[in-house]
């Protein structure tokens, strides 16, 4: 899924009259209170890890909303600013992340101005400090100016934050520790945000909205659990439990959709409202809780949407408070357009996993009913329990035999290839037509000399003609894809146990990506073609290999990694991609032999070592555990290259450390132990370590994870050696020298020693900033001594 999105325009959903709507409107229309403008000196605002000093300037508060003042603007009176923001990340990784953006591991910045939004007791805390300094006085002479300057910004930001602020303001008890967000302006860093949100998975987030080549990014400088949440993890927001989804969707002839989604919802704490997420392309028009109308509050905000992974949060406010532990039937009516025609009735589904209301991704059963134009096919997970056509409308209903994490769908004018393998059914759909973007264009071609003319003079006109190459056949690989997906599924099931659902549908999507949902895979239309058209293939051979060999197996592998086993947080999601991609490489190794796998690993290495505009390698953008935060304005390629490429290399290195048998037993154990559960990076480290051969160096893999998972760097390694003594008392003395990485970098590198008779000794050497020497006793002279002959360590 894409982390960034183009700056979306603010869309206003119709609101029914009600408390939440009134509060939200008041937030959007809020302005500053000219009677609440002060000359201020030395005020402090401390929120968890965030410290703000308003040393010298003017402060104006907003008018009250729901009885509370929820905003303030501060403007420094001193040239260059006299306010200060301090945020100290609690660990090395976050300090490092911050440093890549602001050249400092800590945020300590002088500011010119700040706009605050808050739902806690921040107003009272600021006002209580007023008597501390006689200079703190009302400043009516500045009130009009500040109001005029800052009210538009307040309203602008209020639109995006309205649902989130409303959620807190509905809580009539008042919050001690409510949300606080500050939008700061500093001479050095420009505009940046720091937010404390007690409802966030990581409550402290600092970052900046930036644009690069017309694309908006929210660069997350640092993100971490706030101090009191670090001390007491039970403070963490309890989750609402969702189960038993029933969705009725109508796809209209113009491809818009009208959907009714019903789901059972059990809150784990009392509350006036419940938060859900949905694609910004869907508008929730109505909601009911236990058949009684509830209020819906949906807004769009780039900043908020990007922090929450591109989705729109919306609130449902029932007529009565929700009680913890009680189960409610929620019903949503939503409509919008998530299907686009890419030409010739080849369709693109844009919101594949977010076309209905979600709260995180939770395991649930699904009953899916689709009504759609009868000339199309519509595929979705689950078994078909109803299928009939009346007039121009076909109705298909599916039920999942077990709980799945997400229900996607796809549609088109399909040709099918269906294969049964034991308990599994694979249904591969191909578009009958080719989308517009892949249609060949006429090319001007300079032809060879006409036959019979041997000597062409320079003055002769060139022989130019227009040629349209033959169109590729979008069904060319249908049969072979079905065979490959079925084989990949069988191979993986033999290694990891049964897939998430016994029926797997593979369907095409225009674009250069794939996505593997439970029981339904989207596969780039490029993977259906015999020869992938040239101009799209920037990566040359490895791209060709990826679309023709790897992608379908990668998406098939997500039936396990991501759908049976899930990730604990965004910091652990790399595991799903690395495991899926390496499973695909393992299948390729079995079906095609090791050469293609080596070519893929080599091309991943080149992509990791490629240099960006700043002269730094793509790898150095940040450690793999930053997940989607790697898709930032500094190096937009980083997320993809590091997650897939470095992720595959991490698995490859573990395999070389363990040996094949132990490595595959380890993967089987991950699939078994974390079936239906979330896997964290540390869980994976501990489990992998338990599969290392006895007496391995770095037995807990702590150093391995520190360098490759929590850190960056790709070393250059060089081996020198000499054989000393006389047989049978020989000693091989070797040295491995490391360069091109920081002083604290250390890796395990294998040295392979072949002796006569074919015997091989592998010596693992721990490298470091000083050359690492090692000694191996030998009875006879070595035939060959090689550093890392089997891609056991990622190196230059
Ligand atoms: Zn993937």
């Amino acid at each position: 899924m894409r982390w960034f999105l183009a700056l979306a325009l603010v869309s206003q959903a119709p609101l029914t009259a009600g408390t939440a709507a009134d509060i939200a409107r008041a937030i959007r229309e809020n302005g500053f209170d000219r009677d609440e403008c002060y000359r201020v000196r030395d005020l402090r605002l401390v929120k968890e890890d965030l410290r703000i000093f308003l040393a010298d300037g003017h402060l104006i508060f907003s008018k009250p909303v729901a009885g509370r003042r929820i905003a303030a603007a501060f403007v420094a009176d001193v040239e260059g600013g006299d306010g200060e923001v301090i945020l100290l990340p609690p660990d090395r990784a976050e300090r490092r992340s911050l440093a890549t953006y602001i050249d400092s591991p800590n945020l300590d910045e002088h500011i010119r101005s700040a706009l605050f939004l808050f739902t806690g007791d921040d107003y009272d805390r600021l006002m209580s400090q007023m008597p501390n300094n006689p200079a703190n006085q009302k400043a009516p002479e500045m009130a009009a100016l500040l109001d005029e300057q800052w009210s538009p910004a307040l309203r602008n930001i209020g639109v995006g934050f309205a649902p989130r602020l409303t959620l807190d303001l509905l809580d009539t008890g008042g919050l001690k520790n409510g949300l606080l967000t500050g939008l700061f302006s500093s001479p050095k860093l420009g505009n940046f945000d720091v937010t404390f949100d007690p409802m966030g998975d990581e409550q402290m987030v600092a970052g900046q909205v930036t644009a690069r080549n017309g694309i908006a990014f929210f660069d997350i400088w640092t993100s971490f659990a706030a101090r009191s949440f670090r001390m007491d993890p039970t403070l963490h927001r309890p989750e609402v439990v969702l189960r038993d989804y029933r969705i009725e969707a109508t796809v209209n002839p113009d491809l818009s959709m009208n959907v009714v989604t019903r789901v059972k919802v059990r809150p784990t704490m009392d509350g006036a409202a419940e938060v859900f997420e949905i694609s910004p392309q869907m508008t929730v028009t109505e909601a009911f809780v236990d058949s009684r109308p509830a209020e819906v509050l949906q807004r769009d905000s780039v900043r908020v949407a990007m922090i929450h992974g591109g989705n729109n949060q919306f609130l449902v406010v029932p007529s009565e408070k929700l009680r913890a532990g009680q189960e409610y039937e929620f019903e949503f009516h939503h409509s919008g357009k998530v299907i686009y025609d890419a030409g010739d009735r080849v369709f693109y589904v844009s919101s594949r996993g977010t076309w209905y209301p979600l709260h995180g991704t939770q395991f649930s059963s699904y009953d899916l009913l689709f009504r759609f134009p009868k000339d199309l096919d519509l595929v979705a997970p689950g078994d078909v329990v109803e299928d009939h056509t009346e007039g121009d409308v076909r109705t298909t209903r599916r039920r999942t035999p077990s709980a799945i994490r997400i229900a996607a769908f796809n549609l088109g004018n399909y040709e099918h290839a269906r294969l049964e393998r034991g308990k599994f059914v694979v249904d591969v759909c191909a578009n009958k037509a080719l989308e517009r973007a892949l249609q060949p264009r006429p090319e001007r071609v300079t032809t060879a000399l006409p036959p019979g003319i041997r000597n062409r003079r320079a003055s002769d006109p060139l022989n130019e003609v227009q040629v349209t190459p033959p169109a590729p056949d979008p069904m060319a690989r249908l049969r072979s894809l079905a065979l490959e997906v079925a084989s990949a599924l069988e191979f993986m099931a033999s290694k990891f146990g049964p897939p998430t659902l016994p029926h797997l549908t593979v369907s095409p999507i225009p674009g250069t990506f794939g996505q593997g949902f439970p029981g339904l895979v989207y596969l780039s239309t490029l993977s259906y073609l015999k020869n992938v058209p040239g101009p799209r293939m920037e990566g040359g051979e490895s791209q060709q290999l990826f679309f023709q060999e790897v992608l379908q197996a990668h998406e098939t592998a997500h039936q396990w990694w991501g759908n049976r086993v899930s990730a604990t947080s965004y910091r652990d999601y790399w595991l799903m991609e690395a495991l899926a991609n390496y499973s695909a490489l393992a299948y390729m190794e079995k079906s095609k032999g090791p050469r293609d796998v080596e070519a893929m690993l080599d091309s991943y290495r080149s992509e990791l070592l490629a240099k960006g505009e700043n002269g730094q390698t793509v790898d150095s953008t940040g450690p793999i555990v930053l997940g989607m935060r790697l898709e930032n304005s500094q190096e937009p390629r980083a997320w993809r290259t590091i997650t897939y490429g470095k992720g595959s290399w991490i698995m490859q290195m573990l395999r070389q450390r363990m040996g094949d048998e132990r490595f595959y037993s380890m993967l089987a154990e991950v699939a078994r132990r974390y079936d239906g559960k979330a896997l964290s990076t540390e869980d994976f480290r501990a489990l992998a370590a338990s599969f290392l051969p006895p007496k391995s160096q770095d037995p807990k893999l702590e150093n391995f994870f520190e360098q490759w998972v929590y850190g960056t760097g790709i070393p250059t390694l060089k081996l020198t050696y000499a054989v000393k003594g006389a047989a049978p008392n020989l000693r091989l003395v070797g040295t491995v020298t490391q360069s091109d990485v920081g002083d604290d970098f250390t890796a395990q590198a294998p040295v392979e020693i072949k002796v006569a008779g074919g015997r091989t000794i592998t010596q693992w050497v721990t490298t470091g900033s000083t050359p690492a020497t090692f000694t191996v006793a030998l009875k006879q002279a070595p035939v060959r001594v090689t550093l890392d002959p089997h891609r056991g360590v990622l190196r230059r």
Side-chain angles (χ1 to χ4, degrees), residues 554-555 558 577 580 644:
H554 173 111
E555 302 308 340
H558 275 311
E577 292 304 338
Y644 289 71

Side-chain angles (χ1 to χ4, degrees), residues 459-658:
S459 57
D460 286 345
L462 286 169
N463 201 7
E464 260 199 1
V465 289
Q466 282 246 1
V467 177
T468 303
D473 174 7
M475 293 179 285
R477 293 185 72 228
L478 177 59
R479 287 291 310 169
S480 63
L481 269 181
L483 285 166
E484 275 177 41
V485 171
S487 301
L489 198 72
E490 267 193 318
F491 169 80
M492 292 169 195
S494 76
K495 295 239 179 287
F496 318 135
T500 181
L501 291 174
H503 188 133
L504 179 63
T505 303
V506 176
S507 60
I509 186 134
T512 54
F513 67 97
Q515 231 172 348
F517 288 108
L520 179 68
V521 162
Y522 295 92
L523 200 58
S524 166
T525 43
L526 294 175
S527 290
Y528 285 81
L529 309 180
K530 268 243 159 64
N531 288 302
V532 175
R536 297 178 152 265
M537 297 292 93
E538 291 155 15
E541 194 198 358
S542 72
Q543 287 280 80
Q544 187 89 16
L545 267 176
F546 183 75
F547 285 107
Q548 303 271 296
E549 310 286 353
V550 182
L551 188 59
Q552 66 268 18
H554 173 111
E555 302 308 340
T556 302
H558 275 311
Q559 293 305 302
W560 289 268
W561 315 122
N563 288 315
R564 284 211 87 125
V565 176
S566 61
T568 303
S569 80
Y570 77 90
R571 291 175 188 266
D572 312 298
Y573 190 74
W574 71 274
L575 281 163
M576 302 301 115
E577 292 304 338
L579 287 165
N581 211 57
Y582 202 78
S583 300
L585 296 185
Y587 168 69
M588 191 159 93
E589 183 180 270
K590 183 191 162 267
S591 61
K592 300 275 189 308
R595 275 207 49 199
D596 284 1
V597 177
E598 289 162 10
M600 284 305 297
L601 288 170
D602 290 349
S603 82
Y604 288 142
R605 173 175 39 213
S606 324
E607 288 166 22
L608 286 162
L609 288 170
K611 295 209 166 126
E613 284 169 19
N614 56 4
Q616 305 288 312
T617 63
V618 173
D619 170 72
S620 69
T621 311
I624 196 166
V625 285
L626 288 183
M628 285 304 194
R629 283 164 63 185
L630 289 169
E631 198 160 63
N632 56 50
S633 67
Q634 296 182 327
E635 180 48 83
R637 291 174 294 181
W639 173 74
R640 196 181 176 79
T641 305
I642 292 169
T643 305
Y644 289 71
K646 196 162 191 185
S648 297
W649 267 102
I650 288 168
M651 296 300 159
Q652 165 74 10
M653 289 190 278
L654 287 173
R655 179 179 168 185
Q656 295 301 318
R657 292 278 300 271
M658 288 175 191

